[in-house]
Amino acid sequence: MAAAMPLALVVLLLLGPGGPARAESPRDSLREELVITPLPSGDVAATFQFRIRWDSELQREGVSHYRLFPKALGQLISKYSLRELHLSFTQGFWRTRYWGPPFLQASSGAELWVWFQDTVTDVDKSWKELSNVLSGIFCASLNFIDSTNTVTPTASFKPLGLANDTDHYFLRYAVLPREVVCTENLTPWKKLLPCSSKAGLSVLLKADRLFHTRYHSQAVHIRPICRNARCTSISWELRQTLSVVFDAFITGQGKKDWSLFRMFSRTLTEPCPLASESRVYVDITNYSQDNETVEVNPPPTTTYEDVILGTRRTYAVYDLLDTAMINNSRNLNLQLKWKKPPENGYIHYQPAQDRLQPHLLEMLIQLPANSVTKVSIQFERALLKWTEYTPDPNHGFYISPSVLSALVPSMVAAKPVDWEGSPLFNTLFPVSDGSSYFVRLYTEPLLVNLPTPDFSMPYNVICLTCTVVAVCYGSFYNLLTRTFHIEEPSTGGLAKRLANLIRRARGVPPL
Amino acid sequence: MISDDQAEQFFRSGHTNNWAVLVCTSRFWFNYRHVANTLSVYRSVKRLGIPDSHIVLMLADDMACNPRNPKPATVFSHKNMELNVYGDDVEVDYRSYEVTVENFLRVLTGRIPPSTPRSKRLLSDDRSNILIYMTGHGGNGFLKFQDSEEITNIELADAFEQMWQKRRYNELLFIIDTCQGASMYERFYSPNIMALASSQVGEDSLSHQPDPAIGVHLMDRYTFYVLEFLEEINPASQTNMNDLFQVCPKSLCVSTPGHRTDLFQRDPKNVLITDFFGSVRKVEITTETISLQQYSEMESSYKEDQMDEELMEPLKYAEQLPVAQIIHQKPKLKDWHPPGGFILGLWALIIMVFFKTYGIKHMKFIF
């Protein structure tokens, strides 16, 4: 109830100053962009960015007319006096080693960091209320953000937008790593877009394809930027970004050819009528070490070249607002094909069957020059049946060594030798051509310590049990089944008489 | 011209808005079917007209984007994979750890912390018909939430009574699909409540069929047949509650579904399914036209605003990693707080003991 009251007050303020004659003119523009980057590992990354620039001072004047800029976020900026807001939801991890550097990486789970204006008196209270409101907007459990997972960084997370002074007291940062990202977070994110998911690049945003990926990150960034080159006035920028990485094996079934239809199960039909710019960029930089080039179909009209993240890259540009590219009768389905024939690799794997046959793994690899290639296999240790242990199980179990058969290029060309004329050490392996020689190398056998049971246990248990049974049960049995009667001691007996005789002779008292 | 019966029917139900509270209380992948149950009811309710703003959907675990789901972002109700009940437009209001007994009772009774967003509130009034659907693992008199706590039938009945006292519902339909579900509605005592359960006390509710591709059971029998029944309802249909009571006979469901109507004022045969599952929308068509202001008029005022909004000094972007500034920044002095009562008392005690043992003569050296 209390939250409804201030909200009502804010609404009144927004409607108040709007004069009857001059309506609020919408001064916002939308740019949308999709960057498709084929990655060195055969996967493909797609990064969407939807950017709305709004030339308005949200603090100074009351705003009553929202056109492209979503009202839900605009009201947040004015109510909580935000300077910057960055909220991201991520599932997966960006593998920089295989995929190269990302444009924008985010923490796995939900990450929220906010710069408040310096007019805010109680930053912690605004932060708590803001996270609650955002949890309602994005259907996420951001209401779990409280003082136990919020920090105020003192050196990093400087504002990404315009900032005159940076007193870190107004910055708050929180991460919820357990947060799951699913369709219910994508749905409100899509609804913030001006064209929703009906036209333009956002028709490609289908949940069942976007979540079948190795990496999915969607974010909302709000910050103030320069309105013009002289930078004398402020505009608000809202960027909605979505990055996904499609896996070559899961979605591509092992082939490295990609198309928009294969990735998103949709093609582009029309640009968003509200967008001033709507482009698709495809990274066609040659990967010089493999000598592979990617061929894009339909051929692009223009290319764009620049130094991105430290390296020079070339992009093919497709402008959706260009009617030659896309119109009512043509859909745009970009296709990427790799020109080099598929690499000649070979893998053969035969899994083990318990107590029947072992694992067999054979791989043909082409090693790149001046590099180190590591091949590793993970295995688990299991318990054997107790009769299968050797008499000395604490020694360990041996795993047979790996075999490496290689063709090593020679420094000097060798000529084919005559088997009978040359020494024996030169004719171990047949040589087909002199440019390389064949070697077969072995690794050490691996000695694995398996968990061994205590073999003395059965013996100990039998001893203990038998003792207990004999002592307790035996005693009880005797007590219960035997009857006791008093016996008169026998008076006579030959042995006794003889013994008494001898005792009398010795002088010892008789029995 | 509308006849008298049509006019009477228009006003028969007495409610002006519809709400739905759909709760799945089970966590873990093998309870996939409970999430599928709840999402099927969600889907039917949305299809029949209740908007997301009037639905409070609580799912205790995420099945669609679970790493064990071979088809991400989907939840299926039938092993032929025909119906993805998760859909493309779902809005889950309470998810994962937020689905607790406390939050559920707070939603029902309206006693919610002030910063809760609207989508997480049940903003019903005394003319609201509310559908409450619960599913999960239950027993005789309780329903288990997330394997760590439970709600008893007495607590639930008291919550409904609170709702009645606060005039938070006009009529309430309570459906529960758990083992021994009928025990949950035994204790209700507030008026205008109709309840359905999938099994009687002492019986277990069984699941429908497993799917070899996904590896778990996809749905429970009772909700499966209720979903089949609801798929044939459209917003204008006249099917009544008596048909819903017949939905899953013992031959199909193995358990005996039960229902309770003694607290309900109207006769179930007069209660339409759409009174609870659909949404009341009384639409008036008008033939007047409204003209909107032209866009070009606003353009002209844009130019004059451009002139008078320039600031004096140019602004600049912040440096992202100002190393020199960071190294030389002084650590912020924490605000000084005066020592608390305990510390003061402790020091006073120490000083008193000192002066008592060594005598008062030391005092003159201090003062």
Side-chain angles (χ1 to χ4, degrees):
Chain A
M1 303 306 139
M5 273 290 289
L7 202 60
L9 280 172
V10 168
V11 167
L12 283 171
L13 275 172
L14 292 177
L15 289 175
R22 195 192 78 165
E24 288 299 321
S25 49
R27 295 168 277 182
D28 41 17
S29 60
L30 167 70
R31 280 174 62 175
E32 49 180 32
E33 172 186 288
L34 164 62
V35 181
I36 299 182
T37 317
L39 298 168
S41 58
D43 311 319
V44 70
T47 308
F48 290 85
Q49 279 205 53
F50 300 90
R51 185 255 214 172
I52 300 174
R53 199 187 93 174
W54 194 17
D55 302 329
S56 143
E57 305 277 350
L58 265 174
Q59 275 76 43
R60 286 198 286 160
E61 57 191 45
V63 178
S64 61
H65 183 69
Y66 289 90
R67 189 176 149 249
L68 296 178
F69 199 94
K71 181 170 150 194
L73 297 179
Q75 286 184 325
L76 277 187
I77 299 176
S78 44
K79 177 163 187 203
Y80 296 106
S81 306
L82 300 180
R83 189 164 19 152
E84 282 191 25
L85 179 122
H86 302 272
L87 171 62
S88 64
F89 295 100
T90 310
Q91 161 207 313
F93 184 68
W94 182 275
R95 311 257 159 212
T96 312
R97 210 173 344 153
Y98 303 116
W99 298 340
F103 288 122
L104 184 68
Q105 194 177 2
S107 157
S108 209
E111 186 191 33
L112 173 67
W113 59 280
V114 172
W115 275 93
F116 290 90
Q117 301 274 352
D118 34 11
T119 52
V120 174
T121 44
D122 191 347
V123 179
D124 290 314
K125 180 161 163 295
S126 303
W127 168 251
K128 184 87 182 106
E129 285 180 17
L130 176 66
S131 42
N132 276 319
V133 171
L134 286 171
S135 88
I137 296 178
F138 289 101
C139 289
S141 324
L142 297 176
N143 48 315
F144 284 137
I145 291 179
D146 55 12
S147 61
T148 58
N149 47 27
T150 306
V151 288
T152 305
T154 54
S156 49
F157 289 100
K158 297 268 183 218
L160 288 174
L162 292 174
N164 271 339
D165 61 336
T166 55
D167 182 1
H168 280 252
Y169 173 67
F170 295 101
L171 166 66
R172 293 289 183 273
Y173 174 88
V175 172
L176 293 173
R178 183 66 169 98
E179 197 60 27
V180 171
V181 189
C182 207
T183 314
E184 66 255 19
N185 306 112
L186 184 65
T187 308
W189 188 94
K190 278 198 291 193
K191 287 186 181 163
L192 295 174
L193 298 172
C195 275
S196 191
S197 48
K198 309 278 190 297
L201 292 175
S202 41
V203 298
L204 299 175
L205 300 173
K206 288 296 159 200
D208 54 342
R209 305 301 299 166
L210 289 180
F211 287 103
H212 205 52
T213 52
R214 281 180 73 172
Y215 176 79
H216 173 106
S217 175
Q218 65 193 54
V220 170
H221 302 280
I222 302 178
R223 58 177 179 170
I225 55 168
C226 296
R227 196 180 295 190
N228 44 29
R230 280 167 304 156
C231 211
T232 46
S233 42
I234 295 182
S235 294
W236 284 94
E237 181 193 72
L238 164 69
R239 278 197 197 217
Q240 290 180 254
T241 63
L242 193 136
S243 304
V244 285
V245 173
F246 292 99
D247 192 288
F249 282 103
I250 297 174
T251 20
Q253 279 103 42
K255 296 194 272 282
K256 278 167 70 167
D257 295 335
W258 291 101
S259 70
L260 279 184
F261 188 77
R262 216 228 222 119
M263 291 193 272
F264 302 106
S265 67
R266 295 280 182 296
T267 54
L268 293 167
T269 49
E270 52 168 337
C272 177
L274 300 167
S276 58
E277 211 179 281
S278 182
R279 295 212 181 121
V280 180
Y281 292 85
V282 183
D283 186 348
I284 51 175
T285 318
N286 296 340
Y287 292 108
S288 54
Q289 62 205 41
D290 291 352
N291 242 2
E292 291 178 345
T293 51
V294 59
E295 180 194 299
V296 197
N297 184 23
T301 43
T302 47
T303 55
Y304 172 74
E305 210 180 288
D306 204 350
V307 177
I308 310 282
L309 292 168
T311 51
R312 179 159 286 278
R313 302 192 156 265
T314 317
Y315 291 89
V317 183
Y318 296 88
D319 194 347
L320 294 184
L321 294 173
D322 180 6
T323 45
M325 186 69 53
I326 191 173
N327 52 34
N328 282 342
S329 53
R330 281 176 50 164
N331 289 1
L332 180 62
N333 183 18
L334 290 171
Q335 281 159 335
L336 291 94
K337 282 195 187 34
W338 291 93
K339 268 207 216 143
K340 193 176 158 85
E343 57 191 41
N344 42 354
Y346 170 78
I347 292 186
H348 170 69
Y349 176 60
Q350 189 184 53
Q353 287 178 4
D354 279 351
R355 299 176 181 87
L356 275 183
Q357 66 186 26
H359 292 282
L360 170 65
L361 174 64
E362 278 185 275
M363 293 187 292
L364 177 68
I365 313 173
Q366 210 163 18
L367 298 175
N370 284 336
S371 61
V372 173
T373 305
K374 273 194 206 171
V375 177
S376 58
I377 299 180
Q378 281 182 325
F379 52 88
E380 287 177 354
R381 299 184 278 191
L383 277 178
L384 297 175
K385 296 186 187 168
W386 78 297
T387 47
E388 292 170 346
Y389 282 95
T390 54
D392 58 345
N394 296 308
H395 180 78
F397 288 82
Y398 283 94
I399 297 186
S400 41
S402 320
V403 184
L404 183 69
S405 316
L407 266 181
V408 184
S410 299
M411 303 281 205
V412 181
K415 49 189 199 304
V417 290
D418 171 28
W419 276 67
E420 298 305 317
S422 54
L424 294 173
F425 59 78
N426 207 7
T427 55
L428 285 165
F429 293 109
V431 161
S432 52
D433 69 284
S435 62
S436 53
Y437 60 94
F438 179 78
V439 309
R440 185 168 282 147
L441 304 173
Y442 292 80
T443 64
E444 288 175 18
L446 183 64
L447 185 58
V448 176
N449 218 353
L450 280 189
T452 42
D454 180 7
F455 292 106
S456 62
M457 186 271 282
Y459 168 75
N460 291 336
V461 167
I462 291 171
C463 281
L464 189 67
T465 317
C466 290
T467 309
V468 166
V469 165
V471 169
C472 296
Y473 177 69
S475 312
F476 268 112
Y477 180 78
N478 285 336
L479 281 171
L480 291 173
T481 52
R482 287 177 199 241
T483 51
F484 295 93
H485 48 264
I486 302 179
E487 205 179 72
E488 294 297 319
S490 57
T491 44
L494 178 64
K496 195 163 168 202
R497 267 185 277 169
L498 273 174
N500 281 337
L501 217 63
I502 297 170
R503 286 175 85 98
R504 224 174 335 143
R506 281 170 67 195
V508 169
L511 288 171
Chain B
M1 265 321 262
I2 41 175
S3 68
D4 284 335
D5 308 306
Q6 281 177 314
E8 194 204 310
Q9 192 162 24
F10 194 73
F11 293 111
R12 192 180 290 181
S13 52
H15 67 282
T16 58
N17 56 75
N18 285 80
W19 286 81
V21 178
L22 311 172
V23 183
C24 161
T25 59
S26 298
R27 175 167 277 276
F28 306 122
W29 174 245
F30 49 81
N31 291 321
Y32 181 103
R33 59 188 190 279
H34 296 142
V35 172
N37 290 349
T38 319
L39 286 172
S40 318
V41 179
Y42 173 77
R43 185 199 129 78
S44 308
V45 149
K46 259 179 90 157
R47 193 177 54 85
L48 292 172
I50 303 186
D52 271 313
S53 54
H54 284 230
I55 302 179
V56 177
L57 178 62
M58 304 172 80
L59 297 179
D61 201 358
D62 168 57
M63 299 303 167
C65 289
N66 195 310
R68 293 166 90 158
N69 191 352
K71 296 183 191 304
T74 58
V75 173
F76 290 106
S77 62
H78 191 276
K79 72 173 190 291
N80 290 341
M81 309 290 193
E82 302 153 349
L83 195 55
N84 172 18
V85 291
Y86 200 57
D88 217 10
D89 200 23
V90 62
E91 282 184 23
V92 181
D93 301 303
Y94 285 85
R95 55 183 203 159
S96 189
Y97 299 126
E98 293 174 290
V99 178
T100 56
V101 174
E102 183 189 338
N103 281 349
F104 174 62
L105 292 177
R106 282 187 186 278
V107 162
L108 286 185
T109 54
R111 295 159 69 170
I112 289 191
S115 49
T116 317
R118 270 184 85 101
S119 56
K120 289 184 169 178
R121 294 181 189 236
L122 178 64
L123 299 164
S124 56
D125 52 28
D126 63 323
R127 291 272 132 232
S128 307
N129 273 13
I130 308 184
L131 163 73
I132 299 184
Y133 175 83
M134 301 183 74
T135 182
H137 288 288
N140 190 357
F142 67 91
L143 170 63
K144 188 171 73 157
F145 267 69
Q146 292 216 40
D147 225 13
S148 64
E149 48 181 3
E150 62 268 336
I151 185 173
T152 57
N153 48 6
I154 301 174
E155 281 175 354
L156 194 57
D158 288 341
F160 286 160
E161 178 64 14
Q162 270 199 52
M163 286 173 79
W164 175 250
Q165 296 287 340
K166 288 175 160 188
R167 302 281 180 264
R168 279 170 70 78
Y169 69 89
N170 174 39
E171 284 170 348
L172 202 131
L173 175 65
F174 176 76
I175 305 183
I176 184 160
D177 187 350
T178 62
C179 303
Q180 309 195 51
S183 63
M184 288 306 283
Y185 62 61
E186 273 172 359
R187 300 290 194 132
F188 291 166
Y189 54 94
S190 320
N192 286 354
I193 301 185
M194 190 188 308
L196 280 105
S198 61
S199 55
Q200 302 292 330
V201 174
E203 284 181 346
D204 286 337
S205 284
L206 300 178
S207 58
H208 187 59
Q209 49 180 223
D211 176 89
I214 297 183
V216 286
H217 287 261
L218 292 183
M219 242 179 126
D220 280 331
R221 285 176 188 247
Y222 181 69
T223 311
F224 181 80
Y225 290 108
V226 167
L227 175 65
E228 240 181 38
F229 172 79
L230 289 175
E231 287 285 304
E232 285 157 30
I233 310 269
N234 54 60
S237 88
Q238 299 290 308
T239 334
N240 57 42
M241 280 295 164
N242 276 338
D243 303 323
L244 187 58
F245 294 158
Q246 312 301 328
V247 150
C248 200
K250 199 168 158 93
S251 54
L252 289 174
C253 255
V254 185
S255 57
T256 319
H259 54 91
R260 180 177 176 179
T261 52
D262 55 313
L263 296 165
F264 205 74
Q265 282 173 1
R266 296 191 282 152
D267 192 344
K269 75 172 192 303
N270 292 334
V271 180
L272 300 177
I273 298 284
T274 50
D275 279 350
F276 289 101
F277 286 88
S279 181
V280 174
R281 301 250 190 92
K282 299 197 166 47
V283 176
E284 238 183 65
I285 314 261
T286 173
T287 50
E288 295 172 14
T289 54
I290 303 170
S291 59
L292 301 167
Q293 199 178 21
Q294 287 289 325
Y295 179 56
S296 53
E297 290 171 21
M298 300 190 234
E299 281 246 17
S300 54
S301 51
Y302 172 50
K303 301 270 183 331
E304 36 180 283
D305 294 327
Q306 210 178 17
M307 296 303 153
D308 55 8
E309 278 206 22
E310 297 196 353
L311 302 173
M312 288 296 103
E313 71 285 348
L315 308 152
K316 56 188 190 327
Y317 290 105
E319 221 186 291
Q320 289 301 298
L321 205 61
V323 177
Q325 187 194 347
I326 291 173
I327 291 176
H328 292 115
Q329 75 184 356
K330 291 199 185 8
K332 209 163 58 87
L333 290 166
K334 286 221 295 238
D335 301 325
W336 181 79
H337 295 286
F342 177 73
I343 303 287
L344 279 175
L346 196 63
W347 277 108
L349 187 67
I350 291 172
I351 290 172
M352 243 179 40
V353 167
F354 171 76
F355 282 117
K356 275 213 172 334
T357 41
Y358 295 108
I360 208 80
K361 60 181 188 292
H362 293 278
M363 288 283 272
K364 69 170 184 284
F365 290 110
I366 297 168
F367 293 110

